[in-house]
Amino acid sequence: MAPKYHPTPLSGGDRKALAKELGKARAMTTILATQSAEARAKGEALIKQADQLLSESWNERTWANGEPIDPSPTIDQAINGGYSWLQIECSRCKSAREVDLAALNHPSTTFVHDLASRLRCRKCAKAGKRPAANLLQLAQRRRHSDPET
């Protein structure tokens, strides 16, 4: 974008006044840019906190009801809130494992509870079965080491 053109006034007093106003405008842009960056940082911190609280709330509701609850956080919200692992259990053989949400090949706007029908147990798949997974909870870090991955 081309800079705005301000025609220079003919009188000396008007030139000084214009120079003063242009200096104030340049200083104000720096102040406003700094305030904008601070507000954006505060907003991002609040969004991260909100996503963390949403993930914790979903974990508590899931634990209290014994099954995944709709609505759940999206994959993006869970990861942004610090919950990047999903603990699941096979509905057939009851083997537990963790799924890295960041490594999933799904849109980040997918809800966590929608993953139950898409995730499958590897042990049962080798046996020719395809039972759906039971979602247990979101976790901040991996709890079990998975020798199969």
Side-chain angles (χ1 to χ4, degrees):
M1 177 189 246
K4 188 172 183 180
Y5 176 71
H6 299 285
T8 306
L10 296 177
S11 70
D14 290 341
R15 281 194 304 268
K16 289 179 186 175
L18 177 64
K20 184 177 177 180
E21 290 301 317
L22 289 174
K24 285 182 186 178
R26 289 185 186 107
M28 187 55 78
T29 60
T30 305
I31 292 168
L32 293 174
T34 303
Q35 289 176 350
S36 171
E38 290 171 359
R40 184 171 304 280
K42 286 179 186 176
E44 288 172 358
L46 286 173
I47 289 172
K48 184 172 184 161
Q49 182 183 10
D51 290 342
Q52 179 182 4
L53 292 172
L54 179 64
S55 298
E56 290 173 5
S57 169
W58 186 77
N59 277 347
E60 291 298 322
R61 287 184 292 145
T62 300
W63 181 81
N65 292 348
E67 60 185 37
I69 303 296
D70 177 16
S72 63
T74 63
I75 293 174
D76 258 0
Q77 289 172 331
I79 292 171
N80 189 39
Y83 289 85
S84 57
W85 292 92
L86 176 64
Q87 294 178 354
I88 62 172
E89 177 183 72
C90 176
S91 60
R92 181 175 172 266
C93 68
K94 304 297 182 202
S95 64
R97 77 175 242 240
E98 287 86 15
V99 176
D100 185 5
L101 293 176
L104 286 179
N105 199 14
H106 294 288
S108 57
T109 56
T110 302
F111 289 99
V112 171
H113 73 271
D114 288 340
L115 296 175
S117 62
R118 300 176 189 175
L119 298 173
R120 304 287 182 213
C121 175
R122 290 185 185 146
K123 289 181 186 177
C124 293
K126 289 178 184 175
K129 309 292 183 192
R130 297 209 22 102
N134 293 330
L135 305 182
L136 300 178
Q137 69 176 0
L138 292 167
Q140 292 180 337
R141 60 187 173 281
R142 193 171 190 165
R143 302 200 184 202
H144 301 101
S145 61
D146 191 4
E148 295 181 18
T149 49

